[in-house]
Amino acid sequence: MAGPVKDREAFQRLNFLYQDPENQALARFYCYTERTIAKRLVLRRDPSVKRTLCRGCSSLLVPGLTCTQRQRRCRGQRWTVQTCLTCQRSQRFLNDPGHLLWGDRPEAQLGSQADRLPEEKMQTQGSSNQ
């Protein structure tokens, strides 16, 4: 279970604005508002949320409806290219099964860093005593 979150009301507001309404113009307005609130309060958004929003027109990117997704190869690497159908802006994401985002890595979690620090100190003290 997560601990206390700073600006809980702001995160709840961002979550509400990210919901998927049927009207595309309303969705674009909500996503733009969500982005400006996150910038103003200096809140970090999850990469999965950022990947579903167009950076050009702030529309919600739904594959097949508001964007197209294509798989490309370039220099031996696989890329997912997402193109917004409203503003034609494209984004590329590395499509590597072994790739982990920083937030998903174990060393990025605060709890695991706190647990690891005493063990590392004990190992360095034990080696210096010998």
Side-chain angles (χ1 to χ4, degrees), residues 61-81:
L61 298 176
V62 180
L65 185 63
T66 58
C67 75
T68 59
Q69 282 189 341
R70 302 284 186 252
Q71 302 295 321
R72 302 281 185 228
R73 284 190 179 267
C74 181
R75 298 185 188 121
Q77 292 181 333
R78 297 183 322 202
W79 296 87
T80 300
V81 180

Side-chain angles (χ1 to χ4, degrees), residues 3 35 48 50 61 72 75 106 110 118:
R35 185 171 75 180
S48 63
K50 290 194 287 187
L61 298 176
R72 302 281 185 228
R75 298 185 188 121
L110 292 176

